[in-house]
Amino acid sequence: MWKIIDTASLKVRLTVGVAAVAALGLGGLAAWTSMQMQQILVSSHKEDLKYIIERFPMDLEIYTEMVPLDQGAERAINNLAQPGKMIWIKDSQGQVLAKSSRLNQSKNAQQLLSLDDVPPTPQVRDLGGTYWLMCAVPLNIKAAAPGELYLAHDITRDQMLFWNQPHCLIYAWRGMVVVVVVVVAAAVVMEII
């Protein structure tokens, strides 16, 4: 085969260059698509958490005007809790004042409640194979001493889907590279023969 193909030929070098550029371009496109998917996944969940952060103090103040703080906190939490989202409040001493009822059903409840180093901006954390987008923000309302509002969203399912997607893109990229190289090689061979 190498006897037939003249590697010094400009046509062969251009063909190999086109195949290499196509391979790198497709690889770059696959990497860019993967990063964009991760951004979209995390940013949509971050927006949900930011909405809860903004709304929670207002709900808590309304409820604490009607009932004692602990009951008002439970009501505000359960009002904003959604499937996969866990909410709890810790006082300045680290004691849990109130928590969502869904947190009692979570297998990660103890692990989540014991966390102290939670960042104020939502970040993804791996807790023993489950992935949580979490944050803790200061909570200051008139009816209560300062504390922290903790939010955690279970994104394990979405994270697994995200990790499977790049594998599909890599397989597609490899397939496209093979196709481009075969087509280019066939074109070169046909021209030479």
Side-chain angles (χ1 to χ4, degrees):
M1 179 82 168
W2 290 110
K3 291 178 186 176
I4 297 173
I5 299 174
D6 180 13
T7 56
S9 164
L10 179 61
K11 194 182 290 184
V12 171
R13 284 189 268 162
L14 283 173
T15 305
V16 170
V18 167
V21 167
L24 290 173
L26 290 171
L29 180 63
W32 179 80
T33 303
S34 176
M35 289 187 304
Q36 290 300 313
M37 287 172 48
Q38 175 70 1
Q39 279 297 105
I40 291 168
L41 167 76
V42 172
S43 67
S44 65
H45 292 305
K46 280 183 180 180
E47 290 303 315
D48 287 345
L49 293 184
K50 286 178 184 176
Y51 169 76
I52 293 172
I53 290 168
E54 291 172 3
R55 172 121 185 243
F56 188 81
M58 293 181 287
D59 284 5
L60 184 57
E61 284 195 30
I62 290 169
Y63 283 118
T64 53
E65 289 175 3
M66 297 181 275
V67 295
L69 177 63
D70 58 339
Q71 292 176 8
E74 292 283 340
R75 286 183 184 179
I77 287 172
N78 289 326
N79 183 42
L80 292 171
Q82 301 166 359
K85 289 185 179 69
M86 309 300 170
I87 305 171
W88 67 99
I89 300 172
K90 283 186 180 180
D91 64 15
S92 55
Q93 285 77 36
Q95 299 297 316
V96 176
L97 297 176
K99 60 185 177 181
S100 61
S101 57
R102 285 189 171 92
L103 192 55
N104 294 330
Q105 301 161 358
S106 174
K107 64 180 181 176
N108 298 91
Q110 282 304 110
Q111 206 171 9
L112 288 169
L113 292 173
S114 65
L115 292 174
D116 288 326
D117 59 337
V118 180
T121 57
Q123 293 181 0
V124 178
R125 293 183 83 178
D126 178 3
L127 298 180
T130 58
Y131 295 89
W132 295 83
L133 183 65
M134 49 189 356
C135 64
V137 295
L139 181 63
N140 293 311
I141 61 164
K142 297 175 205 169
E148 282 193 305
L149 172 66
Y150 287 78
L151 301 158
H153 183 112
D154 184 0
I155 60 167
T156 305
R157 182 176 166 269
D158 293 341
Q159 195 75 5
M160 293 304 165
L161 287 172
F162 165 72
W163 281 345
N164 290 335
Q165 196 64 29
H167 294 349
C168 294
L169 288 173
I170 289 170
Y171 294 137
W173 173 73
R174 286 179 182 168
M176 287 303 296
V177 168
V178 169
V179 168
V180 167
V181 169
V182 167
V183 167
V184 168
V188 169
V189 169
M190 293 300 198
E191 282 291 318
I192 292 175
I193 293 175

Coordinates of all heavy atoms in Angstrom, one line a residue, residues 34-114:
S34 N -20.0 18.8 25.4 CA -20.0 18.2 26.7 C -20.0 19.3 27.8 O -20.7 19.2 28.8 CB -18.8 17.2 26.9 OG -18.7 16.7 28.2
M35 N -19.1 20.3 27.7 CA -19.0 21.3 28.7 C -20.3 22.1 28.7 O -20.7 22.5 29.8 CB -17.8 22.2 28.4 CG -16.5 21.6 28.6 SD -15.0 22.6 28.4 CE -15.2 23.3 26.8
Q36 N -20.9 22.4 27.6 CA -22.1 23.2 27.6 C -23.3 22.4 28.3 O -24.1 23.0 29.0 CB -22.5 23.5 26.1 CG -21.6 24.5 25.4 CD -21.6 25.8 26.2 OE1 -22.7 26.4 26.6 NE2 -20.4 26.3 26.4
M37 N -23.3 21.1 28.1 CA -24.3 20.3 28.7 C -24.2 20.4 30.2 O -25.2 20.5 31.0 CB -24.3 18.9 28.2 CG -24.8 18.7 26.8 SD -24.5 17.1 26.1 CE -25.1 16.0 27.4
Q38 N -23.0 20.3 30.7 CA -22.7 20.4 32.2 C -23.1 21.7 32.7 O -23.8 21.8 33.7 CB -21.2 20.2 32.5 CG -20.8 20.3 33.9 CD -21.4 19.3 34.8 OE1 -22.0 18.3 34.4 NE2 -21.1 19.4 36.1
Q39 N -22.8 22.8 32.0 CA -23.2 24.2 32.4 C -24.8 24.3 32.5 O -25.3 24.8 33.4 CB -22.7 25.2 31.4 CG -21.3 25.6 31.6 CD -21.1 26.2 32.9 OE1 -20.6 25.6 33.8 NE2 -21.5 27.5 33.1
I40 N -25.4 23.8 31.5 CA -26.9 23.8 31.4 C -27.5 23.0 32.6 O -28.4 23.5 33.3 CB -27.5 23.3 30.1 CG1 -27.1 24.3 29.0 CG2 -29.0 23.1 30.1 CD1 -27.3 23.8 27.6
L41 N -27.0 21.9 32.8 CA -27.5 21.0 33.9 C -27.3 21.7 35.2 O -28.3 21.9 36.0 CB -26.7 19.7 34.0 CG -26.8 18.9 35.2 CD1 -28.2 18.1 35.2 CD2 -25.7 17.9 35.4
V42 N -26.2 22.2 35.6 CA -25.9 22.8 36.9 C -26.7 24.2 37.0 O -27.3 24.5 38.0 CB -24.4 23.0 37.1 CG1 -24.2 23.8 38.4 CG2 -23.8 21.6 37.3
S43 N -26.6 25.0 35.9 CA -27.2 26.3 36.0 C -28.7 26.3 36.2 O -29.3 27.1 36.9 CB -26.9 27.2 34.8 OG -27.5 26.7 33.6
S44 N -29.4 25.3 35.6 CA -30.9 25.3 35.8 C -31.2 24.9 37.2 O -32.1 25.4 37.8 CB -31.5 24.3 34.8 OG -31.1 22.9 35.1
H45 N -30.4 24.0 37.8 CA -30.7 23.6 39.2 C -30.3 24.8 40.2 O -30.9 25.0 41.2 CB -29.9 22.4 39.6 CG -30.5 21.1 38.9 ND1 -31.8 20.8 39.0 CD2 -29.9 20.2 38.1 CE1 -32.0 19.7 38.3 NE2 -30.8 19.3 37.8
K46 N -29.2 25.5 39.8 CA -28.8 26.7 40.6 C -29.9 27.7 40.6 O -30.2 28.3 41.7 CB -27.5 27.3 40.0 CG -26.3 26.6 40.4 CD -25.1 27.3 39.9 CE -23.8 26.6 40.3 NZ -22.6 27.3 39.8
E47 N -30.6 27.9 39.5 CA -31.7 28.9 39.5 C -32.8 28.5 40.4 O -33.4 29.3 41.1 CB -32.2 29.1 38.0 CG -31.2 29.8 37.1 CD -30.8 31.1 37.6 OE1 -31.7 31.9 38.0 OE2 -29.6 31.4 37.5
D48 N -33.1 27.2 40.5 CA -34.1 26.7 41.4 C -33.8 27.0 42.9 O -34.6 27.5 43.7 CB -34.4 25.2 41.3 CG -35.1 24.8 40.0 OD1 -35.7 25.7 39.3 OD2 -35.1 23.6 39.6
L49 N -32.5 26.8 43.2 CA -32.0 27.0 44.6 C -32.1 28.5 44.9 O -32.4 28.9 46.0 CB -30.6 26.4 44.8 CG -30.5 24.9 44.8 CD1 -29.1 24.5 45.1 CD2 -31.5 24.2 45.7
K50 N -31.7 29.3 43.9 CA -31.7 30.8 44.1 C -33.1 31.3 44.4 O -33.3 32.2 45.2 CB -31.1 31.5 42.9 CG -29.6 31.4 42.9 CD -29.0 32.1 41.7 CE -27.5 31.8 41.6 NZ -26.9 32.4 40.4
Y51 N -34.1 30.7 43.7 CA -35.5 31.1 43.9 C -35.9 30.8 45.3 O -36.5 31.6 46.0 CB -36.4 30.4 42.9 CG -37.8 30.5 43.2 CD1 -38.5 31.7 42.9 CD2 -38.5 29.5 43.8 CE1 -39.8 31.9 43.3 CE2 -39.9 29.6 44.1 CZ -40.5 30.8 43.9 OH -41.8 30.9 44.2
I52 N -35.5 29.6 45.8 CA -35.9 29.3 47.2 C -35.2 30.2 48.2 O -35.8 30.6 49.2 CB -35.5 27.8 47.5 CG1 -36.4 26.9 46.6 CG2 -35.7 27.4 48.9 CD1 -36.0 25.4 46.6
I53 N -33.9 30.5 47.9 CA -33.2 31.4 48.8 C -33.8 32.8 48.9 O -33.9 33.4 50.0 CB -31.7 31.6 48.3 CG1 -30.9 30.3 48.6 CG2 -31.0 32.7 49.0 CD1 -29.6 30.2 47.9
E54 N -34.3 33.3 47.8 CA -35.0 34.6 47.8 C -36.3 34.5 48.4 O -36.7 35.5 49.1 CB -35.1 35.1 46.3 CG -33.8 35.5 45.7 CD -33.9 35.8 44.2 OE1 -35.1 35.7 43.7 OE2 -32.9 36.0 43.6
R55 N -37.1 33.5 48.2 CA -38.4 33.4 48.7 C -38.6 33.0 50.2 O -39.5 33.4 50.9 CB -39.2 32.4 47.8 CG -40.6 32.1 48.3 CD -41.6 32.4 47.3 NE -42.9 32.2 47.9 CZ -43.8 31.3 47.4 NH1 -43.5 30.6 46.4 NH2 -44.9 31.1 48.1
F56 N -37.6 32.2 50.6 CA -37.8 31.6 52.0 C -37.9 32.6 53.1 O -38.8 32.4 53.9 CB -36.6 30.6 52.3 CG -36.8 29.9 53.5 CD1 -37.6 28.7 53.5 CD2 -36.2 30.3 54.7 CE1 -37.8 28.0 54.7 CE2 -36.4 29.6 55.9 CZ -37.2 28.5 55.9
P57 N -37.1 33.6 53.2 CA -37.2 34.6 54.3 C -38.6 35.2 54.3 O -39.2 35.4 55.4 CB -36.2 35.6 54.0 CG -35.1 34.9 53.2 CD -35.9 34.0 52.4
M58 N -39.2 35.5 53.2 CA -40.5 36.1 53.1 C -41.6 35.2 53.7 O -42.4 35.5 54.5 CB -40.9 36.6 51.7 CG -40.0 37.7 51.2 SD -40.5 38.2 49.5 CE -39.8 36.8 48.6
D59 N -41.5 33.9 53.2 CA -42.5 32.9 53.7 C -42.3 32.7 55.2 O -43.3 32.6 55.9 CB -42.2 31.6 52.9 CG -42.8 31.6 51.5 OD1 -43.2 32.6 51.1 OD2 -42.7 30.5 50.9
L60 N -41.1 32.6 55.6 CA -40.8 32.4 57.1 C -41.4 33.5 57.9 O -42.0 33.3 59.0 CB -39.3 32.2 57.3 CG -39.0 31.8 58.8 CD1 -39.7 30.6 59.2 CD2 -37.5 31.7 58.9
E61 N -41.2 34.7 57.5 CA -41.8 35.9 58.3 C -43.3 35.8 58.3 O -43.9 36.1 59.3 CB -41.3 37.2 57.7 CG -39.8 37.5 58.1 CD -39.4 38.9 57.8 OE1 -40.3 39.8 57.9 OE2 -38.2 39.1 57.6
I62 N -43.9 35.5 57.2 CA -45.4 35.4 57.2 C -45.9 34.3 58.1 O -46.8 34.5 58.9 CB -45.9 35.1 55.7 CG1 -45.6 36.4 54.9 CG2 -47.3 34.7 55.7 CD1 -45.9 36.1 53.4
Y63 N -45.2 33.1 58.1 CA -45.7 32.0 58.9 C -45.4 32.3 60.4 O -46.2 31.9 61.3 CB -45.0 30.7 58.5 CG -45.6 30.1 57.3 CD1 -44.8 29.9 56.2 CD2 -46.9 29.7 57.3 CE1 -45.4 29.3 55.0 CE2 -47.5 29.1 56.1 CZ -46.7 28.9 55.0 OH -47.3 28.4 53.9
T64 N -44.3 33.0 60.7 CA -44.0 33.2 62.1 C -44.9 34.3 62.7 O -44.9 34.4 64.0 CB -42.5 33.6 62.3 OG1 -42.2 34.7 61.5 CG2 -41.6 32.4 62.0
E65 N -45.6 35.0 61.9 CA -46.6 36.0 62.4 C -47.8 35.2 63.0 O -48.5 35.7 63.8 CB -47.0 37.0 61.4 CG -45.9 38.0 61.0 CD -46.3 38.9 59.9 OE1 -47.4 38.8 59.4 OE2 -45.4 39.7 59.5
M66 N -48.1 34.0 62.4 CA -49.3 33.3 62.8 C -49.0 32.2 63.8 O -49.9 31.9 64.7 CB -49.8 32.6 61.5 CG -50.3 33.6 60.5 SD -51.0 32.7 59.0 CE -49.5 32.4 58.1
V67 N -47.8 31.6 63.8 CA -47.5 30.5 64.7 C -46.1 30.6 65.2 O -45.3 31.5 64.7 CB -47.6 29.1 63.9 CG1 -49.0 28.8 63.5 CG2 -46.6 29.1 62.7
P68 N -45.7 29.9 66.2 CA -44.3 29.9 66.8 C -43.3 29.7 65.7 O -43.6 29.0 64.7 CB -44.3 28.9 67.9 CG -45.7 28.6 68.2 CD -46.5 28.9 67.0
L69 N -42.0 30.1 66.0 CA -41.0 30.0 65.0 C -40.7 28.6 64.5 O -40.6 28.4 63.3 CB -39.7 30.5 65.6 CG -38.4 30.4 64.7 CD1 -38.6 31.2 63.4 CD2 -37.2 30.8 65.5
D70 N -40.7 27.6 65.4 CA -40.4 26.2 64.9 C -41.5 25.7 63.9 O -41.2 25.1 62.9 CB -40.2 25.3 66.0 CG -41.3 25.2 67.0 OD1 -42.2 26.2 67.0 OD2 -41.5 24.2 67.7
Q71 N -42.7 26.0 64.3 CA -43.8 25.6 63.4 C -43.8 26.4 62.1 O -44.1 25.8 61.0 CB -45.2 25.7 64.1 CG -45.4 24.8 65.2 CD -46.7 25.1 66.0 OE1 -47.5 25.9 65.5 NE2 -46.9 24.4 67.1
G72 N -43.6 27.7 62.2 CA -43.5 28.5 61.0 C -42.4 28.1 60.1 O -42.6 28.1 58.8
A73 N -41.3 27.7 60.6 CA -40.1 27.3 59.8 C -40.5 26.0 59.1 O -40.2 25.8 57.9 CB -38.9 27.1 60.7
E74 N -41.1 25.0 59.8 CA -41.5 23.8 59.2 C -42.5 24.0 58.1 O -42.4 23.4 57.0 CB -42.2 22.9 60.2 CG -41.3 22.3 61.3 CD -40.4 21.2 60.8 OE1 -40.7 20.5 59.8 OE2 -39.4 20.9 61.5
R75 N -43.4 24.9 58.3 CA -44.4 25.2 57.2 C -43.7 25.9 56.0 O -44.0 25.5 54.9 CB -45.5 26.1 57.7 CG -46.5 25.4 58.6 CD -47.6 26.3 59.1 NE -48.5 25.7 60.0 CZ -49.5 26.3 60.6 NH1 -49.8 27.5 60.3 NH2 -50.3 25.6 61.4
A76 N -42.9 26.8 56.3 CA -42.2 27.5 55.2 C -41.3 26.5 54.4 O -41.2 26.6 53.1 CB -41.3 28.6 55.7
I77 N -40.6 25.6 55.1 CA -39.8 24.6 54.4 C -40.6 23.7 53.6 O -40.3 23.4 52.4 CB -39.0 23.8 55.5 CG1 -37.8 24.7 56.0 CG2 -38.4 22.6 54.9 CD1 -37.1 24.1 57.2
N78 N -41.7 23.2 54.2 CA -42.5 22.2 53.4 C -43.3 22.9 52.3 O -43.6 22.2 51.3 CB -43.5 21.5 54.4 CG -42.8 20.5 55.3 OD1 -41.8 19.9 54.9 ND2 -43.2 20.4 56.5
N79 N -43.5 24.2 52.4 CA -44.1 24.9 51.3 C -43.2 25.0 50.1 O -43.7 24.9 48.9 CB -44.5 26.3 51.8 CG -45.3 27.1 50.7 OD1 -46.1 26.6 50.0 ND2 -44.9 28.4 50.6
L80 N -41.9 25.1 50.3 CA -41.0 25.3 49.2 C -40.2 24.0 48.8 O -39.6 24.0 47.8 CB -39.9 26.4 49.6 CG -40.5 27.8 49.7 CD1 -39.4 28.7 50.2 CD2 -40.9 28.3 48.3
A81 N -40.4 23.0 49.6 CA -39.7 21.7 49.3 C -40.3 21.1 48.1 O -41.5 21.1 47.9 CB -39.7 20.8 50.5
Q82 N -39.4 20.5 47.3 CA -39.9 19.8 46.0 C -39.1 18.5 46.0 O -38.2 18.3 46.7 CB -39.5 20.7 44.8 CG -40.1 22.0 44.8 CD -39.4 22.9 43.7 OE1 -38.4 22.5 43.1 NE2 -39.9 24.2 43.6
P83 N -39.6 17.6 45.2 CA -38.9 16.3 45.1 C -37.4 16.5 44.8 O -37.1 17.2 43.9 CB -39.6 15.6 43.9 CG -41.0 16.2 43.9 CD -40.8 17.6 44.3
G84 N -36.6 15.8 45.5 CA -35.2 15.9 45.4 C -34.5 17.0 46.0 O -33.3 17.1 46.1
K85 N -35.3 18.0 46.6 CA -34.7 19.2 47.2 C -34.9 19.0 48.7 O -36.0 18.8 49.2 CB -35.3 20.5 46.7 CG -34.9 20.8 45.3 CD -35.5 22.1 44.9 CE -35.1 22.5 43.5 NZ -35.7 21.7 42.5
M86 N -33.8 19.2 49.5 CA -33.9 19.1 50.9 C -33.6 20.5 51.5 O -32.7 21.2 51.0 CB -32.8 18.1 51.5 CG -32.9 16.8 50.8 SD -34.5 16.0 51.0 CE -34.2 14.6 49.9
I87 N -34.3 20.9 52.5 CA -34.1 22.2 53.1 C -34.1 22.0 54.6 O -34.9 21.3 55.2 CB -35.3 23.2 52.7 CG1 -35.5 23.3 51.2 CG2 -35.1 24.6 53.4 CD1 -36.7 24.0 50.8
W88 N -33.2 22.7 55.3 CA -33.1 22.7 56.7 C -32.5 24.0 57.2 O -31.8 24.7 56.5 CB -32.4 21.5 57.3 CG -31.0 21.3 57.0 CD1 -30.0 21.6 57.9 CD2 -30.4 20.8 55.8 NE1 -28.8 21.3 57.3 CE2 -29.0 20.8 56.0 CE3 -30.8 20.3 54.6 CZ2 -28.1 20.4 55.1 CZ3 -30.0 19.9 53.7 CH2 -28.6 19.9 53.9
I89 N -32.8 24.3 58.5 CA -32.2 25.5 59.1 C -31.4 25.1 60.4 O -31.9 24.2 61.1 CB -33.4 26.4 59.6 CG1 -34.2 26.9 58.4 CG2 -32.8 27.6 60.3 CD1 -35.5 27.6 58.9
K90 N -30.2 25.7 60.5 CA -29.4 25.5 61.7 C -29.2 26.8 62.4 O -29.1 27.8 61.7 CB -28.0 24.9 61.3 CG -28.0 23.5 60.9 CD -26.5 23.0 60.7 CE -26.5 21.6 60.4 NZ -25.1 21.1 60.2
D91 N -29.3 26.7 63.7 CA -29.0 28.0 64.4 C -27.5 28.3 64.5 O -26.7 27.5 64.0 CB -29.7 27.9 65.8 CG -29.1 26.8 66.7 OD1 -28.0 26.3 66.4 OD2 -29.7 26.5 67.8
S92 N -27.2 29.3 65.2 CA -25.7 29.7 65.2 C -24.9 28.7 66.0 O -23.6 28.7 65.8 CB -25.6 31.1 65.9 OG -26.2 31.1 67.2
Q93 N -25.5 27.8 66.8 CA -24.7 26.8 67.5 C -24.6 25.5 66.7 O -24.1 24.5 67.1 CB -25.3 26.5 68.8 CG -25.0 27.5 69.9 CD -25.9 28.7 69.7 OE1 -27.1 28.6 69.3 NE2 -25.4 29.9 70.0
G94 N -25.2 25.5 65.5 CA -25.2 24.3 64.6 C -26.3 23.3 64.9 O -26.3 22.2 64.3
Q95 N -27.3 23.7 65.7 CA -28.4 22.8 66.0 C -29.5 22.9 64.9 O -29.8 24.0 64.4 CB -29.0 23.1 67.3 CG -28.1 22.9 68.5 CD -27.6 21.5 68.6 OE1 -28.4 20.6 68.5 NE2 -26.3 21.3 68.9
V96 N -30.0 21.8 64.5 CA -31.1 21.8 63.4 C -32.4 22.3 64.1 O -32.9 21.7 65.0 CB -31.3 20.5 62.8 CG1 -32.4 20.5 61.8 CG2 -30.0 20.0 62.1
L97 N -32.9 23.5 63.6 CA -34.1 24.0 64.1 C -35.3 23.5 63.4 O -36.4 23.2 64.0 CB -34.1 25.6 63.9 CG -33.1 26.3 64.7 CD1 -33.1 27.8 64.3 CD2 -33.2 26.1 66.2
A98 N -35.2 23.3 62.1 CA -36.3 22.7 61.3 C -35.8 22.1 60.0 O -34.7 22.5 59.6 CB -37.3 23.9 60.9
K99 N -36.5 21.1 59.5 CA -36.0 20.4 58.3 C -37.2 20.0 57.5 O -38.3 19.8 58.0 CB -35.1 19.3 58.6 CG -35.7 18.2 59.5 CD -34.7 17.2 59.8 CE -35.4 16.2 60.8 NZ -34.4 15.1 61.2
S100 N -37.0 19.7 56.2 CA -38.1 19.3 55.3 C -38.5 17.8 55.7 O -37.6 17.1 56.1 CB -37.8 19.4 53.9 OG -36.6 18.7 53.5
S101 N -39.7 17.5 55.5 CA -40.1 16.1 55.8 C -39.5 15.1 54.8 O -39.3 14.0 55.2 CB -41.7 16.0 55.7 OG -42.1 16.4 54.4
R102 N -39.1 15.6 53.6 CA -38.5 14.7 52.7 C -37.1 14.3 53.2 O -36.5 13.3 52.8 CB -38.3 15.4 51.3 CG -39.6 15.4 50.6 CD -39.4 15.9 49.1 NE -40.6 15.7 48.4 CZ -41.6 16.6 48.2 NH1 -41.5 17.8 48.8 NH2 -42.6 16.4 47.5
L103 N -36.5 15.2 54.0 CA -35.1 14.9 54.5 C -35.2 13.7 55.4 O -34.2 12.9 55.5 CB -34.6 16.1 55.2 CG -33.1 16.1 55.6 CD1 -32.2 15.8 54.4 CD2 -32.8 17.4 56.3
N104 N -36.3 13.5 56.1 CA -36.4 12.3 57.0 C -36.4 11.0 56.2 O -36.1 10.0 56.7 CB -37.7 12.4 57.8 CG -37.7 13.5 58.8 OD1 -36.6 13.9 59.3 ND2 -38.8 14.1 59.1
Q105 N -36.9 11.1 54.9 CA -37.0 9.9 54.1 C -35.7 9.6 53.3 O -35.5 8.6 52.7 CB -38.1 10.0 53.1 CG -39.5 10.2 53.8 CD -40.5 10.9 52.9 OE1 -40.3 11.2 51.8 NE2 -41.7 11.0 53.5
S106 N -34.8 10.6 53.3 CA -33.5 10.4 52.5 C -32.5 9.5 53.2 O -32.3 9.6 54.4 CB -32.9 11.8 52.3 OG -31.7 11.7 51.6
K107 N -31.9 8.7 52.4 CA -30.8 7.8 53.0 C -29.6 8.6 53.3 O -28.7 8.1 54.1 CB -30.5 6.7 52.0 CG -29.9 7.1 50.7 CD -29.6 6.0 49.8 CE -28.9 6.5 48.5 NZ -28.5 5.4 47.6
N108 N -29.5 9.8 52.8 CA -28.3 10.7 53.1 C -28.6 11.7 54.2 O -27.8 12.6 54.4 CB -27.9 11.4 51.8 CG -27.4 10.5 50.7 OD1 -28.2 10.1 49.9 ND2 -26.2 10.1 50.8
A109 N -29.7 11.6 54.9 CA -30.1 12.6 55.9 C -29.1 12.9 56.9 O -28.7 14.1 57.1 CB -31.4 12.1 56.6
Q110 N -28.5 11.9 57.5 CA -27.5 12.1 58.6 C -26.3 12.8 58.0 O -25.7 13.7 58.6 CB -27.1 10.8 59.2 CG -28.1 10.3 60.3 CD -28.4 11.3 61.3 OE1 -29.4 11.9 61.4 NE2 -27.4 11.6 62.2
Q111 N -25.9 12.4 56.8 CA -24.7 12.9 56.2 C -24.9 14.4 55.8 O -24.1 15.3 56.0 CB -24.4 12.1 54.9 CG -23.0 12.2 54.5 CD -22.7 11.2 53.3 OE1 -23.6 10.6 52.8 NE2 -21.5 11.0 53.0
L112 N -26.1 14.7 55.3 CA -26.5 16.1 54.9 C -26.5 17.0 56.2 O -26.0 18.1 56.2 CB -27.8 16.1 54.2 CG -27.8 15.6 52.7 CD1 -29.2 15.4 52.2 CD2 -27.0 16.5 51.8
L113 N -27.2 16.5 57.2 CA -27.4 17.3 58.4 C -26.1 17.6 59.1 O -26.0 18.6 59.9 CB -28.4 16.7 59.3 CG -29.9 16.7 58.8 CD1 -30.7 15.8 59.8 CD2 -30.4 18.1 58.7
S114 N -25.1 16.7 59.0 CA -23.9 16.9 59.7 C -22.9 17.8 59.0 O -21.8 18.1 59.5 CB -23.2 15.5 60.0 OG -22.8 14.9 58.7

